[in-house]
Amino acid sequence: MIDQDEYTLIIKPKNSLLDINFKELWRYKDLLFLLVRRDFVSVYKQTILGPVWFFIQPLLTTATFTLVFSKMANISTDGIPAPLFYLIGVTFWSYFSTCLTATSGTFVNNASVFGKVYFPRLIMPLSIVISSLFKLSIQFIMLLIGWIYYMTTELSIVPNFTILLLPLYIISMAGLGLGFGIILSSVTTKYKDFSFLVGFGVQLLMYATPIIYPLSLIKNPNIITLVSLNPMTGLIEGIKYGLTGHGIYDLGLLTYSLVFTIVLLFVGVIIFNKVEKSFIDTV
Amino acid sequence: MSNIVIKAENISKQYRLGLVGTGTLSHDFKRWVYKMRGKEDPYLKVGEINDRTQKGNSDYVWALKDINFSIEQGEVLGIIGKNGAGKSTLLKILSRVTTPTTGSIGIKGRMASLLEVGTGFHPELTGRENVLLNGAIMGMSKLEIKRKFDEIVDFSGVERYIDTPVKRYSSGMYVRLAFAVAAYLDPEILVIDEVLAVGDAEFQKKCIGKMKDVSQEGRTVIFVSHNIDTVKSLCKRGVLLNNGSILKDDNINDVIDLYIKNQTRTQESFYEFKVESTENLDCYPLSFKIENKNNELVSEIPAYEKFTIKINVFLKKDIDHFVCAIGLCTNLNLPLRTLWSVPKDLKKGKHEICFYMNNVFLETGSYIINLGISTYERTLFSKENFNTLTISDISSDDRPENVLRIKGAGIILNTEHIEIK
């Protein structure tokens, strides 16, 4: 048998479930940064407006939502001015949905690179989450401008100290997007059916999250339970509450979201780690 | 401590044929049930040998089966074999792109693999940005790449375009830049697939030179290629793969010899031509024979022994100025000798042409034989690579005293008068 101590690397058919090489992941940190840079730089190359597109997307979505859901359908926005209400929802939801959708294609989209060279595969989805974070921070600047504007004009907008939890909310959303994404990308390598699910699944999930309606609007307790089962619900409501003072700040809901994130990430990384070893044979 | 840097034990790789997806779920389920009951994977038993030309009964094939080898530090190993012999699968396992189905490999030291140049090059990014990214994908740190950046650009020779997106590059420039990055990786073990397929002759030469340098610095190199020429000039040891198993693991020259022998259809002393359609031919060969000095059919000729190549032809009508030629090529397919018969007017019917090899002798090895028949410079029939001639290293009694070696001597023309005064 091959002596474990004598060699620096042993290639074996299958490793144990929890054999995740964090040291190796750290060694490839430069690659992570360069990939983040690549994602960021390459997206808007050869466009006239360039990074301005980062603003156009949420602005137009917010305008449409305001028009359709607030003006036409008269859905309550919980005392928050409709544009601000939708802008908050759209900005953070798009971060989550980008993380999820982009990471869910990790294996299939990178098959040509993964098939030729080895590096810790987890680097790819991580780079997506981080580069989306840059996009989020740019969009957040725009949100801040709108927020400050409404804070000075509307007396009802009163932020509070729970806003300090914002980084935690964002990390949790990133974790959820990454977790769902890598699980989906793992199962898609063998069963392509799931790639069809991702696109409209995320869209449907948005309606199960208080983005276009406030949680307080729902009166039926069964539906409240159902919507609360969505780990994004507590986070979005928490952000709204912190920024505006309107919304539901519920420790139970938030704890549920955090625990959900941790469990999901744990399961996701295990599955991803198992699949990455030989996915190239089935993709 | 031994000097072994790579040790592979019982490496096997099983693939499933057909469409993945049809019946996958049921097989997965069966695997899981067996696993839960503590039994071996039921599908590991059913694999067949991987011969793509033959129809098999099983959906599972072994792309590699029980591969064992070890490589010492500083060795340059060439892996050759036909398409589908398992070369790429072995490389993929070595470079950790996929895992073996059974067996394990131990690796000592940092390993980099170059299965394709330009892996991860992003078309929208500039040459500069791609060098950084590509280097990082190959496992270099940012600092390391920055330190070698100038050398890399210099080696690639695309300095002028370094700040242009690589999508504007010509394919040659692309490969040049990509190879340059790879050339400046500093791994202890380097695994290279056929990456030299593109690029002009000058650059290919540069690459081979670089690879030679790498191997002379005491680094271990595993090289896979169809280009026998390159393999021969780079490697000392060779491994010949055939249908997923190692056919020969030996000195590179012996391995190439066997590979060439296997590639030619027959390697017999008597060969019958199977001309598909004789309708449009005025003349076609019937058989081919190699006879030793005692007129016996033989498959190998001892070095320095006279032999005769006999070709039987059939003429459908009278042919004037009939010429039959045979060509001998080295196993690298370099033309070595061509022999023409004296032009002669022939009547229709069967004729035998005998080439007596009495004066010029060849060193040991395999030679490819080509055949051509013509009249007044017009080709009537030609066939390349239809048989091989093997000169074995059993020396003949006829060997004169002034021939010291029969290996690595080239064509032996000792009829020259040589004298020491």
Side-chain angles (χ1 to χ4, degrees):
Chain A
M1 253 327 276
I2 284 172
D3 186 6
Q4 296 272 348
D5 305 325
E6 210 181 316
Y7 296 95
T8 47
L9 172 73
I10 306 277
I11 299 171
K12 281 181 301 191
K14 264 183 191 114
N15 295 343
S16 67
L17 280 183
L18 285 169
D19 184 26
I20 298 154
N21 200 337
F22 287 106
K23 223 163 93 187
E24 191 182 51
L25 212 56
W26 178 247
R27 230 184 52 220
Y28 277 88
K29 59 184 183 305
D30 285 342
L31 176 62
L32 181 63
F33 292 135
L34 284 164
L35 284 173
V36 169
R37 212 183 102 84
R38 179 195 75 174
D39 285 347
F40 203 65
V41 172
S42 65
V43 178
Y44 293 111
K45 275 224 170 160
Q46 233 182 54
T47 58
I48 299 167
L49 294 177
V52 176
W53 283 109
F54 285 130
F55 299 111
I56 294 175
Q57 282 163 347
L59 271 183
L60 284 180
T61 318
T62 303
T64 315
F65 280 10
T66 310
L67 200 68
V68 175
F69 297 116
S70 175
K71 296 277 182 282
M72 284 158 73
N74 258 328
I75 296 173
S76 146
T77 52
D78 222 6
I80 308 170
L84 184 62
F85 179 86
Y86 293 120
L87 192 58
I88 296 173
V90 165
T91 306
F92 288 99
W93 178 260
S94 87
Y95 177 59
F96 167 76
S97 74
T98 315
C99 284
L100 198 162
T101 330
T103 52
S104 74
T106 305
F107 283 124
V108 176
N109 295 341
N110 293 303
S112 64
V113 176
F114 286 178
K116 295 296 178 189
V117 63
Y118 174 82
F119 53 87
R121 308 313 194 199
L122 211 50
I123 292 277
M124 275 292 178
L126 278 178
S127 80
I128 293 169
V129 170
I130 296 174
S131 65
S132 310
L133 197 62
F134 278 105
K135 198 175 115 188
L136 173 70
S137 35
I138 292 177
Q139 291 174 344
F140 190 70
I141 294 171
M142 189 178 64
L143 176 62
L144 274 183
I145 297 170
W147 178 58
I148 291 166
Y149 170 76
Y150 283 109
M151 216 166 25
T152 48
T153 53
E154 302 266 337
L155 288 174
S156 63
I157 303 296
V158 187
N160 52 58
F161 279 112
T162 63
I163 197 59
L164 294 176
L165 288 173
L166 188 65
L168 189 66
Y169 296 150
I170 293 175
I171 290 172
S172 183
M173 279 192 289
L176 287 172
L178 180 69
F180 280 123
I182 58 178
I183 290 174
L184 282 167
S185 89
S186 304
V187 290
T188 324
T189 58
K190 220 166 188 180
Y191 306 107
K192 291 255 161 80
D193 312 65
F194 288 95
S195 62
F196 298 105
L197 186 78
V198 175
F200 76 89
V202 170
Q203 196 105 49
L204 291 184
L205 195 62
M206 192 185 81
Y207 293 98
T209 315
I211 303 292
I212 51 170
Y213 57 84
L215 191 58
S216 59
L217 188 74
I218 308 170
K219 298 289 176 253
N220 185 330
N222 289 332
I223 298 183
I224 292 183
T225 320
L226 203 66
V227 175
S228 303
L229 278 179
N230 176 357
M232 282 296 285
T233 301
L235 298 173
I236 293 284
E237 282 294 325
I239 292 173
K240 277 183 194 159
Y241 178 75
L243 281 171
T244 67
H246 302 270
I248 293 165
Y249 175 72
D250 184 310
L251 271 181
L253 268 183
L254 286 174
T255 317
Y256 166 73
S257 297
L258 287 180
V259 172
F260 193 103
T261 309
I262 293 166
V263 172
L264 183 75
L265 265 183
F266 188 71
V267 173
V269 170
I270 287 175
I271 295 177
F272 189 87
N273 198 47
K274 188 172 152 53
V275 168
E276 71 163 25
K277 296 265 157 33
S278 58
F279 89 98
I280 207 75
D281 302 338
T282 53
V283 75
Chain B
M1 246 189 48
S2 67
N3 258 338
I4 291 172
V5 288
I6 298 181
K7 190 173 172 61
E9 275 183 354
N10 301 320
I11 296 297
S12 298
K13 177 78 185 174
Q14 191 184 53
Y15 277 116
R16 194 171 173 220
L17 296 180
L19 296 168
V20 174
T22 48
T24 323
L25 201 58
S26 63
H27 282 206
D28 279 356
F29 184 70
K30 195 168 168 189
R31 273 207 180 97
W32 182 77
V33 169
Y34 270 68
K35 204 174 161 188
M36 285 299 118
R37 285 155 64 196
K39 283 191 184 173
E40 208 190 327
D41 187 338
Y43 295 106
L44 283 183
K45 290 179 206 146
V46 297
E48 287 184 342
I49 209 165
N50 183 19
D51 185 348
R52 77 190 132 79
T53 54
Q54 235 122 64
K55 200 169 154 52
N57 300 314
S58 169
D59 268 353
Y60 290 90
V61 290
W62 292 101
L64 288 176
K65 186 87 177 136
D66 299 326
I67 301 285
N68 287 289
F69 64 88
S70 55
I71 303 171
E72 282 181 24
Q73 202 207 320
E75 241 183 328
V76 183
L77 179 76
I79 298 176
I80 54 177
K82 286 187 287 193
N83 284 336
K87 301 185 300 287
S88 302
T89 309
L90 183 58
L91 278 201
K92 274 186 183 163
I93 291 171
L94 274 174
S95 43
R96 294 208 280 163
V97 164
T98 183
T99 49
T101 312
T102 64
S104 53
I105 304 176
I107 291 165
K108 221 184 286 171
R110 189 173 129 171
M111 185 171 76
S113 60
L114 209 55
L115 302 199
E116 187 184 75
V117 289
T119 316
F121 262 38
H122 194 288
E124 296 286 351
L125 297 183
T126 66
R128 186 183 301 275
E129 290 164 329
N130 269 315
V131 167
L132 287 176
L133 185 63
N134 192 233
I137 285 180
M138 302 279 199
M140 281 199 265
S141 72
K142 215 167 161 180
L143 200 79
E144 220 177 323
I145 310 165
K146 284 208 164 130
R147 214 174 47 225
K148 291 180 191 155
F149 188 81
D150 291 335
E151 277 179 274
I152 291 173
V153 176
D154 195 46
F155 185 84
S156 71
V158 295
E159 197 171 358
R160 190 154 180 203
Y161 289 83
I162 201 69
D163 288 311
T164 307
V166 292
K167 64 177 174 180
R168 309 253 176 267
Y169 280 32
S170 77
S171 57
M173 274 156 57
Y174 190 92
V175 175
R176 273 165 169 264
L177 190 65
F179 186 86
V181 182
Y184 284 90
L185 281 172
D186 260 332
E188 281 137 8
I189 304 163
L190 187 61
V191 180
I192 312 173
D193 202 353
E194 302 185 86
V195 288
L196 300 173
V198 211
D200 52 26
E202 175 229 327
F203 191 70
Q204 285 194 17
K205 224 169 134 189
K206 212 165 154 183
C207 299
I208 293 175
K210 182 75 197 172
M211 273 148 67
K212 265 190 183 152
D213 291 350
V214 167
S215 57
Q216 273 158 14
E217 283 161 18
R219 268 179 275 171
T220 315
V221 181
I222 301 175
F223 183 65
V224 171
S225 179
H226 284 292
N227 191 339
I228 302 292
D229 227 348
T230 321
V231 174
K232 199 171 182 173
S233 70
L234 275 176
C235 313
K236 285 195 188 70
R237 185 179 142 201
V239 165
L240 175 60
L241 287 179
N242 189 34
N243 292 339
S245 35
I246 294 183
L247 209 59
K248 199 173 173 76
D249 177 353
D250 209 333
N251 174 297
I252 189 72
N253 289 321
D254 295 350
V255 171
I256 288 177
D257 262 2
L258 185 65
Y259 175 63
I260 300 294
K261 258 192 216 170
N262 285 353
Q263 254 198 343
T264 29
R265 259 214 297 273
T266 41
Q267 209 267 312
E268 288 158 25
S269 51
F270 184 83
Y271 173 78
E272 235 174 306
F273 282 96
K274 290 181 196 80
V275 182
E276 273 164 25
S277 157
T278 55
E279 233 171 84
N280 302 322
L281 296 169
D282 292 336
C283 160
Y284 53 90
L286 298 167
S287 67
F288 164 89
K289 283 185 278 191
I290 301 175
E291 288 182 1
N292 68 4
K293 57 180 178 180
N294 304 324
N295 296 337
E296 295 157 345
L297 284 175
V298 281
S299 55
E300 283 194 0
I301 305 290
Y304 226 90
E305 191 174 284
K306 294 171 181 173
F307 63 98
T308 312
I309 292 175
K310 290 183 175 170
I311 291 163
N312 278 296
V313 294
F314 182 76
L315 275 66
K316 278 202 242 168
K317 57 174 194 183
D318 296 354
I319 295 174
D320 290 347
H321 206 274
F322 175 94
V323 175
C324 180
I326 55 166
L328 295 179
C329 293
T330 66
N331 54 18
L332 304 179
N333 218 0
L334 298 170
L336 193 65
R337 275 188 88 182
T338 308
L339 297 140
W340 290 275
S341 64
V342 180
K344 200 174 172 186
D345 300 343
L346 289 186
K347 295 263 179 270
K348 74 173 190 185
K350 280 187 190 172
H351 294 275
E352 188 172 63
I353 304 125
C354 306
F355 295 88
Y356 300 101
M357 308 293 209
N358 291 343
N359 297 317
V360 175
F361 298 94
L362 304 163
E363 67 163 296
T364 56
S366 313
Y367 297 88
I368 294 165
I369 306 177
N370 302 330
L371 172 72
I373 297 169
S374 65
T375 168
Y376 294 116
E377 308 269 310
R378 189 168 60 85
T379 305
L380 294 173
F381 181 88
S382 83
K383 192 155 176 75
E384 286 187 4
N385 197 3
F386 70 92
N387 207 329
T388 48
L389 166 71
T390 306
I391 306 292
S392 74
D393 54 7
I394 316 157
S395 184
S396 162
D397 304 334
D398 299 346
R399 176 169 145 185
E401 278 173 46
N402 66 345
V403 175
L404 298 180
R405 270 189 304 125
I406 45 172
K407 211 167 186 178
I411 302 170
I412 305 162
L413 281 167
N414 71 307
T415 45
E416 307 292 339
H417 181 75
I418 304 162
E419 204 178 1
I420 302 175
K421 282 183 180 166

